[in-house]
Amino acid sequence: MTTGRTSAALRPTAGALRLVEASTTRPTSVDISGYARQMTAYCPYLAPSLQQGLTTWTVYRADGDSEAVEAELFHAGAQAAEWLRPLLHRPHGLLRCENIVLLGDVPGARHRDLMAWPHWVLKNLYGPVGVMFGKFYAGEEEVTAAGHRVPTAPASFLPVRAAVRRRDPRFLAATPDLAAVLAAADDDGRDVFEHIPTDWTEIRTWARHLLPPAKPSPSSPDTPASPPRSTS
C-alpha cells in the first residue's frame, strides 16, 4: 500500500482545515461521548468498538473558502482510509472507526454542502478495497430506512471504517453500482490514486461520471449536479 499521494503531495489548499485535536478516543473540543453511546442502539459494532477504545475522533476547524475546505476534507479522509487499511486484517480490525469531525463555518456553505463531494469521491475510491465512509451533519435529524429517528449529531463528521459486506450495500440503494462494488470488495494492496488526477477540482470533475442517472426534471435532464443525498 502507498500513502505518498495522500501525505506528501503539494496542496495549495493546505491550511484550509486547522487541526484542533489529533486522533483520540475522548475529544474535548466537542462533546461526542453521549451521542456515541446512543448510537450503539443502531450499530451493533459500535459498542464493542467503544469498549475496546477503537473508535477515534480527529477534530478539524474550517479555515478557508468552500473549495479549499472540500479539498482538505477529501485529503483528511484519504489519510484516514490509508491509515486504516493495514489495520483491518489485524485482531479487532473490523471494530476500528476513525471519525473526521468538522467544526467552524464557511460563508455561504453548509456542512452538508462541504462534505458531499469529498464523501462521494472517497466512497468510490475506497469501496473496492473494503473501506466505508459515512456522513452525519450537526443538528440535522437522520431517519433509518425503517423510519426510526437517529440521535442528532452534536457535530458534523465523516466516519471511516471497515465495510460490512453483508450489511452496508443495503444502505446504498440509490447507487446500486457502488453497492455491488462494496459487496465484492477486496483489498489487494492497490494504489487507489493510480488512475485519477491529483488536483481536487479535477478529481471532482472525474467523479461526476460516477454519479447515478438522475430522474428526469426540467432543471436536471441528464445527471445530478451533486452526489445523491440519500447515500450515507
Side-chain angles (χ1 to χ4, degrees):
M1 272 164 235
T2 176
T3 59
R5 298 268 312 267
T6 64
S7 60
L10 177 65
R11 307 191 315 280
T13 55
L17 278 187
R18 298 292 184 184
L19 180 64
V20 177
E21 289 187 87
S23 185
T24 175
T25 58
R26 296 185 178 181
T28 59
S29 56
V30 58
D31 185 4
I32 207 82
S33 58
Y35 167 77
R37 286 194 301 272
Q38 289 178 315
M39 287 298 291
T40 59
Y42 301 90
C43 177
Y45 301 94
L46 183 55
S49 177
L50 291 171
Q51 290 165 5
Q52 297 186 46
L54 299 178
T55 294
T56 53
W57 309 82
T58 298
V59 185
Y60 295 94
R61 185 174 298 278
D63 188 17
D65 62 33
S66 58
E67 186 165 317
V69 170
E70 277 188 13
E72 289 303 297
L73 280 172
F74 168 74
H75 178 76
Q79 280 193 313
E82 292 297 337
W83 169 80
L84 194 64
R85 286 174 72 181
L87 301 178
L88 297 184
H89 300 291
R90 297 181 185 179
H92 309 300
L94 296 180
L95 297 180
R96 288 188 176 273
C97 181
E98 166 70 3
N99 298 281
I100 301 163
V101 181
L102 176 63
L103 302 180
D105 298 317
V106 174
R110 303 172 300 168
H111 282 188
R112 177 181 287 275
D113 304 320
L114 296 169
M115 295 165 67
W117 275 111
H119 174 255
W120 174 249
V121 178
L122 289 163
K123 280 203 309 184
N124 280 278
L125 279 180
Y126 285 98
V129 295
V131 177
M132 180 75 170
F133 281 80
K135 55 180 171 17
F136 295 89
Y137 312 109
E140 293 196 23
E141 285 191 353
E142 299 282 346
V143 179
T144 67
H148 301 132
R149 288 186 177 180
V150 177
T152 301
S156 301
F157 66 99
L158 295 171
V160 190
R161 59 171 175 79
V164 182
R165 292 162 181 77
R166 66 181 182 277
R167 297 180 72 251
D168 285 341
R170 68 186 182 188
F171 298 130
L172 304 174
T175 52
D177 290 345
L178 184 55
V181 166
L182 193 69
D186 178 47
D187 195 346
D188 54 8
R190 76 189 71 174
D191 177 3
V192 301
F193 290 88
E194 184 176 3
H195 301 297
I196 73 167
T198 56
D199 176 76
W200 168 244
T201 303
E202 294 176 353
I203 291 173
R204 194 169 57 185
T205 299
W206 165 83
R208 286 185 182 278
H209 84 276
L210 301 171
L211 292 170
K215 295 179 180 179
S217 71
S219 61
S220 180
D222 299 313
T223 58
S226 60
R229 292 180 59 172
S230 58
T231 56
S232 298

